[in-house]
Amino acid sequence: YTLGLMESIPKHDKQRLVPIYGTPPDLLAPPKGCPFVQRCKERMDICETAFPEESKLSECHEVCCWLQKEGR
């Protein structure tokens, strides 16, 4: 999700913004796996069925993403 947000920031060289396609998940009936799975360009099969564990990147940064577990 963070990568999608970073790509949507306007650039000084006037490139077109890259949208995050799709719609947010239904918060009353959240998906079984990652809540961003239907909107993620990097999704894997496991993203549909299991929420990833939290990985600590630094003292003040954490991530919950199977891509981090895969070492990408």
Side-chain angles (χ1 to χ4, degrees):
Y1 182 72
T2 302
L3 292 175
L5 290 177
M6 297 296 287
E7 289 180 347
S8 70
I9 295 173
K11 312 283 189 299
H12 67 280
D13 56 2
K14 300 180 184 177
Q15 293 177 345
R16 292 186 64 97
L17 298 180
V18 179
I20 299 174
Y21 292 102
T23 57
D26 181 351
L27 298 178
L28 297 176
K32 186 176 183 181
C34 176
F36 192 63
V37 68
Q38 297 304 319
R39 303 174 75 193
C40 182
K41 294 187 257 183
E42 303 288 332
R43 69 178 167 254
M44 301 177 288
D45 291 340
I46 194 168
C47 302
E48 302 254 355
T49 58
F51 192 88
E53 295 177 14
E54 188 176 282
S55 297
K56 193 165 187 124
L57 299 180
S58 71
E59 190 63 34
C60 58
H61 291 91
E62 299 162 349
V63 63
C64 290
C65 183
W66 288 111
L67 290 174
Q68 180 66 29
K69 296 288 184 189
E70 292 286 319
R72 295 181 189 182

